Amino acid sequence: MRTLTLIITSLCIAFPVYALDTLIIQSHSTPQFDQTVRQIQNSCGSRSRTYVMGDYTEFDFGRIVREEQPRVVLALGDKPLQQAQKLRTTTLYAMALSANEKRLGENITGVTMFASPELYLKLFRKLSLKRVGVVYSTAKSGAYLDRALKAASEYNVQLVTTMVTSPDQTESALDRLMKQRIDALWMIPDTTAVTPGNLKAYFNLAKDEQIPLITFSRSYLDQGALAALEASRSRMTSQICSSLKQLQNEVSPSDLPITDITDATLFTNETVANRLGIPLSGVHQLFKANR
Amino acid sequence: MVFSSLKRHIQRSLRTKLFFLVSLLIALITITFTTYFILHEITNLRSQQRREGLLLASVIASQINLPLFSGAREEIAMKVATLSHNQQTCSIKVSDVNGDLIVDIPRNLSESTCPEDQLIRQVLTDIPQSSPEAILLGENPSSRTFGTIELIMGTEESARSIRKIIYTTSLLAFGFWLLATGITLTFLQKITATFQILMTGVQRIEDGEFTPWIPVVKDDEPGRALAAINRLAKSLQKQTEEKEALQAEIVRGLHRQIDEEKNRNMAKLIQTNRMTSLGLLVSSMAHEINNPNGAIRLAAEILDRGWRDLRPVLDEVAGDIGEFKLCGLPYTDAIDDIEKAVDAIIRSSIRIEHVVSNLRSYSLGSRDKQVLPFNLNRVVENSIAIVRAHGKIENITIRTELLPELPDVYGNPFQLEQVVINLLLNAIQAMTLNNGSLIEIRTKLDQESGDPLLQIIDSGPGIAAESLAHIFEPFYSTRIEQGGSGLGLYIAKFIVTDQNGTLNIDNIAGGGCKAIVKMPATLENGKPNRTD
């Protein structure tokens, strides 16, 4: 009897009982968040529960996690990620633009919102862009730029980077880039480097200096961007599900590197291309081009 | 007057009716589209004006963002004035975020061109650019209000534009209507040209010209109608010709009938004239006949008296010498013959006298009114004797069945003899061509009335049904060409009826004809009672 009790106790200690496979906590309800949650639930969220932090006046993240005892917490958005960093629960984050990868705990891994740098580098090479300037902030896109810089040499592209720590430094950073004789400007979704207040600076610079601006959303094509690589949402979802499965299969988050979205759709503005004298032929075959 | 004559003209002309209808339709459509166009343009103008106002407000907003934030009134006023310089604005007011009026620029425009409903009020806000959060995560960008701008757009310019649109559009519409109407008229004239030709052809047919003449150019519905009209005209012409031929034939037939009738009338007139002449002849002959007839009668009466005186003497001689011959016969046989002969001479003379008297009276228009009792049997015998004297009954047998106890009737026996003679002559003439013909004369009493009647029945062919109703008409005869007068039966009927008797003639079933004469057997007030 005692042996049996010991065995059972050991097993409980060794194998904790989980009520849920996945606890999904999204920061607030927007069409993008809700759609992502639906896709995750349909694809890989059989035993999952979803909370929306924005629906609560005060959301006690820790208590919810303790009570739900999930295998994995899926933190969608910056707020859940910030809260999850305080816990030791295995956490997968996504849709967080302000995540500082270098400061995340070993219990946290994730999928960024950036399209993989290789995709951009492939585009730059195709467009014969040699020196591409990019403004970034270390906290929000430092790790992404590291990956990009590491891969740039393979594509024969030189990334000219300028770091900013606040949005009002962006304009001067762009000026500095121009002085370094860049032949293209790369706008990444860094919420410090790119804000509503300094967006115009990017477009004005590109227009004034007659250099192509490569961005992350087709919304900016109407304002003068040459091309946009939109990261695939469905690929993001499938990457999330893949990571979730691995995590639920007891793979350690530290063994699971943070990944960028490996698929994107290319959008181009032919008018801008004609103005800049940049031919777009053959570019569309590289990506799922729609414009 | 003009309107009513125009109305009449329109009603009578298909081309005019169509033209007016199509013109009216084009006018309605033109007016409808013109009205719609004008209203649409007015709406567009007003929308455009409003958009211009909004655009002006937006442009002003974008320019005064920082001055409004810093409170630079003069700069704001200058910018507003510059931007709205060429615009038809009635007034522009700019207020800051607290509602304080910063700039108020009125214009010297009339109130009528500055309606209050043209007020445009726009809140001046920062319009943030789309951030990565908004694009990637769907987060709403925040905006800040920094003031309001109110401006009223003047309508004078737009009113001028509207007037111009109305005038131009109306003029164009009128021109279009004229053009369309002109084209319509041309097409109608071409389309209805064939119809006009058709109507002309129909009109000609109505006027009686049936000569096919309409040239058929096309094989469409009007063309086929024209061809049908031509065929109709030809048919009518043929029918007219046939009708005229028929009419001519009818006229010729009528002429023939008229000629025949004329001939018959002439024959009757001639016969009448002849009768008149005969009457005159009879009158003149009466004297010539009466004289010798008187001598004959006198001589006969002398002979009669002489015989009466001589008879006893001869009887005594016969008694003395026995039988001897007188007039070639034995005396006993000769007595009767001599007495009969004398009697026949006297009676015939009397008869001649009566006949001449009757003929004379008839020719002079007078009647013999004597009413005597007489026996029909006697009349029959006398008539037969006279007819036999004519010598035209060689092949005809006359058989008599006379009732011996036949009572007397009242009337003129001599006239009645004439009746019987006429009936016998008709019967004889009807059987002229037949051998073995038979005429039966019967006297008997009528079964119903008991009055004596006389029947004359012949075995001839009878009287044709169509002639039976006319046999008693004067001058009606089926033997006019053979010299028949057509008066025999008429006179017979006249005589019998005048004496209150009846004469009926009818065919006998199986052939032959029967004449029945009834005479009154009683008198009333000296006149014979009328028989039935």
Side-chain angles (χ1 to χ4, degrees):
Chain A
M1 186 59 185
R2 216 194 283 179
T3 309
L4 182 63
T5 307
L6 188 63
I7 292 168
I8 291 172
T9 307
S10 302
L11 285 172
C12 286
I13 293 170
F15 301 101
V17 175
Y18 295 106
L20 281 179
D21 286 340
T22 309
L23 175 63
I24 303 172
I25 300 178
Q26 69 183 80
S27 84
H28 48 275
S29 189
T30 65
Q32 285 84 343
F33 276 112
D34 295 338
Q35 187 185 5
T36 303
V37 167
R38 270 197 305 276
Q39 286 175 347
I40 291 169
Q41 283 171 341
N42 290 338
S43 303
C44 55
S46 57
R47 286 183 64 203
S48 67
R49 188 166 295 152
T50 304
Y51 285 88
V52 181
M53 289 179 71
D55 292 344
Y56 297 86
T57 311
E58 279 189 28
F59 186 81
D60 192 341
F61 192 95
R63 182 181 64 80
I64 298 293
V65 171
R66 282 194 300 275
E67 284 176 3
E68 295 289 353
Q69 294 185 6
R71 284 179 182 270
V72 179
V73 172
L74 176 60
L76 296 177
D78 288 312
K79 281 186 187 170
L81 177 60
Q82 284 170 8
Q83 296 295 319
Q85 284 179 314
K86 299 173 185 173
L87 303 177
R88 287 187 171 198
T89 313
T90 300
T91 303
L92 178 71
Y93 81 86
M95 301 182 77
L97 286 172
S98 302
N100 190 340
E101 294 178 32
K102 294 178 180 176
R103 293 207 178 165
L104 293 174
E106 289 184 354
N107 63 321
I108 298 177
T109 186
V111 178
T112 70
M113 290 217 73
F114 301 97
S116 163
E118 285 80 5
L119 295 173
Y120 282 101
L121 291 168
K122 194 163 64 171
L123 178 62
F124 298 152
R125 183 175 64 184
K126 185 65 183 174
L127 294 176
S128 304
L129 303 174
K130 302 292 184 192
R131 290 172 62 79
V132 179
V134 59
V135 180
Y136 75 104
S137 70
T138 306
K140 293 181 182 174
S141 55
Y144 178 75
L145 255 298
D146 289 341
R147 292 194 286 277
L149 284 166
K150 204 178 277 183
S153 57
E154 288 179 30
Y155 291 88
N156 204 23
V157 173
Q158 186 177 0
L159 291 178
V160 180
T161 62
T162 301
M163 189 192 69
V164 293
T165 55
S166 66
D168 53 1
Q169 294 174 0
T170 300
E171 204 164 336
S172 57
L174 289 171
D175 288 336
R176 287 200 298 278
L177 282 177
M178 281 316 303
K179 286 174 184 165
Q180 296 185 58
R181 293 194 300 279
I182 58 172
D183 49 10
L185 194 57
W186 180 13
M187 181 199 289
I188 59 174
D190 185 316
T191 54
T192 301
V194 180
T195 63
N198 57 27
L199 264 175
K200 255 192 193 169
Y202 282 88
F203 302 121
N204 287 337
L205 183 71
K207 177 175 71 76
D208 293 339
E209 300 300 329
Q210 291 284 295
I211 57 173
L213 173 63
I214 312 300
T215 181
F216 55 88
S217 171
R218 72 182 111 160
S219 304
Y220 297 129
L221 292 177
D222 290 339
Q223 299 187 53
L226 169 68
L229 265 176
E230 281 191 0
S232 168
R233 294 279 172 154
S234 58
R235 180 59 64 88
M236 179 184 75
T237 307
S238 64
Q239 284 179 222
I240 290 171
C241 283
S242 170
S243 297
L244 271 176
K245 274 188 186 146
Q246 291 186 68
L247 291 173
Q248 284 162 3
N249 290 333
E250 305 296 331
V251 173
S252 170
S254 57
D255 296 331
L256 210 60
I258 294 172
T259 56
D260 300 311
I261 300 172
T262 56
D263 188 21
T265 304
L266 176 67
F267 296 90
T268 57
N269 187 328
E270 289 197 13
T271 306
V272 173
N274 291 335
R275 292 244 164 89
L276 298 178
I278 295 175
L280 295 178
S281 60
V283 162
H284 300 98
Q285 279 76 23
L286 289 178
F287 304 94
K288 297 175 193 173
N290 284 339
R291 199 161 169 175
Chain B
M1 174 85 78
V2 174
F3 177 74
S4 62
S5 72
L6 179 67
K7 185 180 170 187
R8 205 165 36 248
H9 178 68
I10 290 170
Q11 284 172 342
R12 284 172 59 87
S13 169
L14 178 66
R15 177 190 286 177
T16 313
K17 248 191 272 191
L18 281 175
F19 173 72
F20 270 99
L21 281 173
V22 174
S23 295
L24 192 63
L25 185 64
I26 294 172
L28 279 173
I29 293 171
T30 307
I31 289 169
T32 304
F33 277 102
T34 304
T35 308
Y36 172 77
F37 177 75
I38 289 172
L39 290 174
H40 183 260
E41 286 299 305
I42 290 172
T43 307
N44 279 349
L45 266 174
R46 294 212 171 119
S47 299
Q48 187 181 344
Q49 188 179 33
R50 185 154 185 88
R51 283 194 300 272
E52 284 174 2
L54 288 170
L55 184 63
L56 179 63
S58 299
V59 169
I60 293 173
S62 66
Q63 295 291 318
I64 63 172
N65 185 1
L66 292 175
L68 193 60
F69 176 73
S70 63
R73 289 171 184 262
E74 287 179 7
E75 189 174 346
I76 293 170
M78 186 189 70
K79 283 185 188 285
V80 168
T82 305
L83 291 170
S84 62
H85 175 65
N86 290 326
Q87 304 296 326
Q88 286 286 317
T89 51
C90 294
S91 71
I92 302 176
K93 292 181 185 173
V94 178
S95 306
D96 63 10
V97 67
N98 297 322
D100 299 328
L101 189 64
I102 305 297
V103 167
D104 184 1
I105 303 177
R107 289 293 174 93
N108 292 325
L109 293 176
S110 63
E111 281 185 15
S112 62
T113 58
C114 294
E116 286 298 320
D117 58 355
Q118 292 294 317
L119 173 69
I120 295 171
R121 187 172 187 277
Q122 186 166 338
V123 176
L124 307 175
T125 58
D126 281 328
I127 302 175
Q129 298 286 334
S130 297
S131 63
E133 294 92 335
I135 290 171
L136 298 176
L137 303 177
E139 291 176 6
N140 290 328
S142 61
S143 60
R144 289 176 302 161
T145 301
F146 59 90
T148 55
I149 179 169
E150 290 179 355
L151 59 86
I152 298 178
M153 298 298 289
T155 60
E156 188 178 333
E157 185 64 30
S158 64
R160 255 203 302 275
S161 299
I162 288 170
R163 277 197 297 273
K164 188 175 169 188
I165 286 171
I166 291 173
Y167 292 149
T168 309
T169 309
S170 300
L171 203 61
L172 284 173
F174 182 69
F176 169 76
W177 177 76
L178 279 177
L179 179 67
T181 306
I183 293 171
T184 302
L185 183 62
T186 307
F187 274 116
L188 267 178
Q189 281 174 342
K190 281 193 178 163
I191 291 167
T192 58
T194 310
F195 188 72
Q196 291 292 341
I197 296 172
L198 190 67
M199 280 308 300
T200 308
V202 171
Q203 191 66 43
R204 283 179 68 142
I205 289 172
E206 188 184 12
D207 293 339
E209 284 184 54
F210 299 137
T211 312
W213 69 280
I214 307 169
V216 179
V217 178
K218 295 179 188 175
D219 187 25
D220 53 4
E221 285 85 352
R224 288 196 287 276
L226 286 173
I229 293 288
N230 284 338
R231 286 195 296 273
L232 177 65
K234 193 173 174 183
S235 170
L236 285 172
Q237 187 180 15
K238 186 179 170 188
Q239 284 183 11
T240 303
E241 286 167 0
E242 287 173 359
K243 190 180 79 174
E244 285 172 357
L246 185 62
Q247 280 178 345
E249 185 62 33
I250 290 171
V251 167
R252 279 196 293 276
L254 283 175
H255 282 157
R256 271 199 303 273
Q257 282 185 359
I258 290 169
D259 287 341
E260 287 170 5
E261 189 70 19
K262 190 173 75 176
N263 288 338
R264 279 197 293 273
N265 289 337
M266 282 306 297
K268 288 179 184 174
L269 283 173
I270 290 167
Q271 186 69 16
T272 304
N273 193 31
R274 194 196 307 168
M275 293 307 294
T276 305
S277 301
L278 185 63
L280 293 175
L281 180 65
V282 164
S283 283
S284 66
M285 281 178 62
H287 181 70
E288 299 299 327
I289 293 173
N290 281 339
N291 281 343
N293 189 44
I296 292 170
R297 182 165 176 187
L298 185 62
E301 285 176 350
I302 292 171
L303 281 175
D304 184 49
R305 284 199 300 275
W307 172 258
R308 290 182 200 280
D309 291 338
L310 193 58
R311 172 79 187 274
V313 176
L314 290 175
D315 286 339
E316 189 176 346
V317 172
D320 292 339
I321 63 177
E323 195 66 43
F324 61 94
K325 285 197 178 175
L326 186 62
C327 300
L329 293 171
Y331 174 71
T332 52
D333 293 334
I335 293 172
D336 287 332
D337 289 344
I338 291 170
E339 287 177 352
K340 282 183 182 175
V342 171
D343 185 53
I345 292 170
I346 292 172
R347 279 192 296 108
S348 294
S349 174
I350 293 171
R351 176 167 173 76
I352 288 169
E353 185 183 340
H354 281 291
V355 168
V356 169
S357 173
N358 287 339
L359 273 175
R360 194 176 175 194
S361 300
Y362 187 79
S363 67
L364 294 177
S366 65
R367 295 184 192 174
D368 191 344
K369 293 291 184 185
Q370 62 175 328
V371 174
L372 301 170
F374 63 94
N375 196 281
L376 282 175
N377 293 336
R378 185 79 178 188
V379 168
V380 168
E381 290 169 354
N382 291 338
S383 299
I384 291 172
I386 294 171
V387 167
R388 283 190 194 282
H390 267 270
K392 293 186 179 177
I393 55 172
E394 298 86 1
N395 298 321
I396 298 173
T397 305
I398 296 180
R399 187 189 301 159
T400 59
E401 288 181 18
L402 305 179
L403 187 66
E405 307 85 30
L406 191 71
D408 287 349
V409 295
Y410 289 92
N412 188 325
F414 301 103
Q415 288 184 346
L416 201 60
E417 282 179 11
Q418 189 177 349
V419 169
V420 174
I421 290 168
N422 284 342
L423 291 173
L424 282 173
L425 287 177
N426 278 341
I428 291 166
Q429 287 164 0
M431 295 182 299
T432 303
L433 301 178
N434 297 328
N435 291 330
S437 300
L438 174 65
I439 295 177
E440 289 183 81
I441 303 176
R442 299 174 188 158
T443 58
K444 58 182 181 179
L445 295 175
D446 185 31
Q447 289 181 355
E448 291 178 4
S449 63
D451 290 331
L453 61 86
L454 164 67
Q455 289 180 340
I456 300 174
I457 302 165
D458 65 64
S459 61
I463 301 174
E466 61 270 16
S467 299
L468 203 55
H470 304 288
I471 55 176
F472 292 121
E473 291 175 7
F475 303 110
Y476 181 85
S477 172
T478 58
R479 301 178 73 250
I480 287 284
E481 290 80 9
Q482 287 83 14
S485 66
L487 291 173
L489 288 178
Y490 170 70
I491 292 171
K493 181 80 171 182
F494 177 82
I495 290 170
V496 170
T497 308
D498 190 52
Q499 296 185 25
N500 291 337
T502 60
L503 168 60
N504 292 306
I505 299 177
D506 218 336
N507 288 325
I508 300 174
C513 191
K514 183 196 284 186
I516 302 175
V517 179
K518 290 186 194 175
M519 294 300 294
T522 56
L523 281 176
E524 186 173 332
N525 297 326
K527 292 183 181 177
N529 275 332
R530 187 169 293 279
T531 58
D532 294 330

